[in-house]
Amino acid sequence: MKLRTRIQLYIIVSLVILLIVANMSIYFLFRQVSLHNSVDRLHEQSRALAETAASVDWKDTSRTSLFQADLPTEGMVRFIGSDGQSQGVITRAEKYRELPFSFTSQEEDRTFYYDGSWYAEVSVPVIRDSGIHSMQVVEELVSLQQSFQVLKYSLTIAGLIILIPSILGGRLLGNFLLRPILALTSTMQAIRSSGKWKRMNTDSRSNDELQTLSDTFNEMVDQLEENFTKQQQFVSDASHELKTPISIIKSYSKLLDRWGADDPAVQQEAVQAIHSETERMQALVGQLLILAKDDPSLLRKETVDLGQIAKSCAAKMETAHQREISVHVTGDIMVKADSNMLKQVVYILLSNSIKYSDDVIGISVQAAQDQAILSVTDYGEGLDKEDQSRIFDRFYRVDKARTRESGGSGLGLAIAKQLVELHEGKIEVESTIGEGSTFTISLPY
Ligand code: ADP
């Protein structure tokens, strides 16, 4: 069943139940109050009739006219002996003689439904001829019966009249609620069939849940489109980067095939080139794998001394590259981190400084408020503002020719940023062209 039909049906069923309950409550309350009032009225009449019965013999038919003044127009008076036998009925209509009766020595009242009509009945004990008798005054509630009918019809018609606009209202409500869902479905279908990212039209005036649904969908599409474009860019950049070493390997292997057997110099050059390009490819694939593992659950966090990490990385890089690195650590800076990942970040920053500067390199570690801060400073070529904002992007290199010479792939800082962000930290650069750069990472302390 369609959602719109279901909404409509739900509204109609609830309204019908509500109307039935409300109308029945009104009807029964009205009936109860009216019957109660009729019995009260009949009590007064029966008091007057009881006074007459005390002085006039009801068996004497010539004197029964004395009861006529207080006799209900539609009703009767019946006298019942203690043996339960009827001793006489005074009435203007014979049909009332048929009504059921029983003896009671108490004053009692009741209303009852008999043969399609409502009746009020009051029983009053009458003492006469040293015996107790029961006088029953019964009135047929003709006008009340008519009122009940009229009320019944009015409530039913009113209910039906209310139901018609509510059916239309249910339809309108269904349309109103379903509009954004239908728009969402058609937007998704359009995205699927055209392969293009599309957004939902939003009415910024309303501030309701349906508006939130559209906004959330549009935000999700923005995010998906951004991620998709990034992924596409990443894959095309990665294949482009892998293309160069592959074509070098291919051309050297051809050379080797053609001249290698006869010319040892060509053989040596080709083998060396293939070896170095294979190493470059291996390093690139390793970096791509690190970037692909952007998952905080892979972190092996432990308490590590950031100063100690800076010192050990600096010592290794000093020995490997024969460059002076001055380390400055203020206090014991302990952080909760994956020490291998932190070392990788420090190696990336130090190797960049080694590549892009010739002077001494500084590395400092200190704490500031709730942050542990590690900075790597060099006095090299520096970066302009535009490059500073892009160097953390994957495959971005300021000078492609130079970085290729120095073995750079443009992935180092992207990896450093990803690893720092996995630790809920931040990486920033401050740099001036010709003066040098400072890369700073801050981690929760
Ligand atoms: P690469 O592997 O090419 O060095 P990175 O992502 O580490 O890739 O760096 C991106 C670019 O940022 C580099 O090509 C380089 O031009 C620039 N860069 C990085 N570090 C420094 C630095 N300390 N001084 C000047 N330029 C730098």
Side-chain angles (χ1 to χ4, degrees):
M1 196 191 286
K2 279 192 165 182
L3 195 57
R4 185 188 299 153
T5 323
R6 250 189 284 171
I7 292 174
Q8 210 173 348
L9 212 68
Y10 179 76
I11 290 173
I12 294 171
V13 169
S14 350
L15 204 80
V16 166
I17 294 173
L18 203 78
L19 278 173
I20 290 174
V21 171
N23 287 357
M24 278 176 65
S25 310
I26 294 171
Y27 176 77
F28 285 112
L29 195 73
F30 175 78
R31 200 177 77 179
Q32 208 53 34
V33 172
S34 307
L35 292 175
H36 186 77
N37 289 344
S38 305
V39 169
D40 279 355
R41 247 192 351 265
L42 201 62
H43 263 289
E44 281 171 27
Q45 268 174 290
S46 57
R47 235 166 267 138
L49 286 164
E51 274 173 28
T52 316
S55 55
V56 178
D57 183 4
W58 56 78
K59 289 175 195 147
D60 183 351
T61 46
S62 63
R63 304 201 63 196
T64 51
S65 58
L66 290 169
F67 288 93
Q68 294 289 349
D70 299 309
L71 194 67
T73 331
E74 268 111 13
M76 65 157 185
V77 182
R78 185 194 296 275
F79 296 96
I80 308 155
S82 55
D83 55 358
Q85 296 298 314
S86 173
Q87 293 175 346
V89 173
I90 306 166
T91 178
R92 292 194 184 100
E94 290 306 305
K95 64 172 181 174
Y96 299 123
R97 289 181 188 277
E98 310 292 319
L99 291 174
F101 63 89
S102 61
F103 173 78
T104 169
S105 58
Q106 316 268 312
E107 180 164 344
E108 282 176 7
D109 61 44
R110 66 173 180 138
T111 53
F112 63 95
Y113 191 73
Y114 182 78
D115 205 14
S117 297
W118 275 99
Y119 294 90
E121 180 190 281
V122 174
S123 302
V124 184
V126 178
I127 296 169
R128 219 186 136 80
D129 306 332
S130 64
I132 188 156
H133 307 267
S134 173
M135 183 189 79
Q136 272 177 3
V137 186
V138 181
E139 183 180 14
E140 186 186 359
L141 306 169
V142 180
S143 62
L144 212 58
Q145 181 108 353
Q146 282 166 357
S147 307
F148 291 165
Q149 287 298 342
V150 171
L151 185 67
K152 227 189 267 179
Y153 290 135
S154 317
L155 289 175
T156 313
I157 290 167
L160 289 175
I161 290 173
I162 293 173
L163 216 57
I164 295 165
S166 76
I167 292 171
L168 288 173
R171 208 178 170 75
L172 284 176
L173 184 70
N175 283 344
F176 175 72
L177 289 177
L178 289 181
R179 208 184 318 138
I181 297 172
L182 293 176
L184 191 70
T185 315
S186 70
T187 313
M188 286 198 268
Q189 280 167 346
I191 292 175
R192 200 180 51 187
S193 59
S194 69
K196 287 187 187 131
W197 299 102
K198 291 189 190 299
R199 315 285 186 283
M200 280 176 76
N201 286 331
T202 54
D203 172 13
S204 51
R205 278 169 301 158
S206 57
N207 193 20
D208 52 17
E209 289 82 354
L210 300 175
Q211 178 64 33
T212 315
L213 175 78
S214 313
D215 289 347
T216 313
F217 176 79
N218 287 348
E219 277 164 26
M220 191 190 73
V221 172
D222 286 345
Q223 215 169 3
L224 280 175
E225 186 175 14
E226 195 188 317
N227 286 348
F228 186 74
T229 319
K230 271 190 191 166
Q231 287 297 333
Q232 258 184 337
Q233 187 63 39
F234 181 61
V235 172
S236 89
D237 287 347
S239 14
H240 183 79
E241 289 303 314
L242 286 168
K243 241 196 265 164
T244 320
I246 288 172
S247 60
I248 294 174
I249 291 171
K250 202 174 154 191
S251 56
Y252 270 107
S253 53
K254 262 190 201 158
L255 195 73
L256 204 57
D257 183 39
R258 208 174 286 169
W259 313 108
D262 309 325
D263 191 340
V266 170
Q267 191 186 39
Q268 199 186 355
E269 188 195 336
V271 169
Q272 259 176 10
I274 290 172
H275 180 75
S276 78
E277 288 307 311
T278 317
E279 270 188 343
R280 180 194 286 279
M281 253 167 65
Q282 197 179 19
L284 189 66
V285 170
Q287 284 178 318
L288 291 175
L289 282 176
I290 296 171
L291 282 170
K293 282 191 220 151
D294 188 9
D295 182 359
S297 68
L298 296 173
L299 285 182
R300 287 180 199 287
K301 273 194 182 176
E302 54 191 332
T303 308
V304 291
D305 186 339
L306 195 58
Q308 210 46 51
I309 287 182
K311 280 179 195 162
S312 76
C313 292
K316 281 188 187 138
M317 293 298 268
E318 250 181 347
T319 319
H321 296 274
Q322 295 297 305
R323 289 284 300 270
E324 188 190 348
I325 302 175
S326 90
V327 187
H328 187 76
V329 178
T330 316
D332 288 338
I333 313 293
M334 309 303 284
V335 288
K336 276 233 170 261
D338 184 316
S339 69
N340 285 334
M341 290 192 186
L342 279 193
K343 279 182 190 161
Q344 206 170 349
V345 175
V346 177
Y347 280 134
I348 289 169
L349 298 182
L350 285 176
S351 70
N352 276 349
S353 291
I354 290 169
K355 273 192 275 181
Y356 305 113
S357 77
D358 302 314
D359 220 335
V360 64
I361 294 161
I363 177 163
S364 74
V365 178
Q366 68 204 43
Q369 290 163 347
D370 54 351
Q371 300 283 304
I373 300 196
L374 181 146
S375 308
V376 175
T377 304
D378 64 59
Y379 305 96
E381 57 196 64
L383 292 152
D384 65 23
K385 282 274 170 243
E386 204 212 317
D387 289 331
Q388 285 176 38
S389 65
R390 300 191 56 193
I391 47 171
F392 296 103
D393 292 349
R394 291 164 181 187
F395 295 110
Y396 184 78
R397 282 166 294 187
V398 175
D399 178 348
K400 295 216 173 197
R402 240 210 87 181
T403 36
R404 186 165 166 78
E405 267 167 40
S406 59
S409 60
L411 286 177
L413 287 176
I415 292 174
K417 183 170 184 244
Q418 182 169 310
L419 296 182
V420 169
E421 284 177 355
L422 274 179
H423 285 84
E424 287 152 23
K426 240 173 34 188
I427 181 161
E428 286 162 317
V429 60
E430 264 179 52
S431 182
T432 312
I433 287 277
E435 286 183 17
S437 319
T438 298
F439 285 82
T440 305
I441 63 168
S442 23
L443 297 167
Y445 178 41

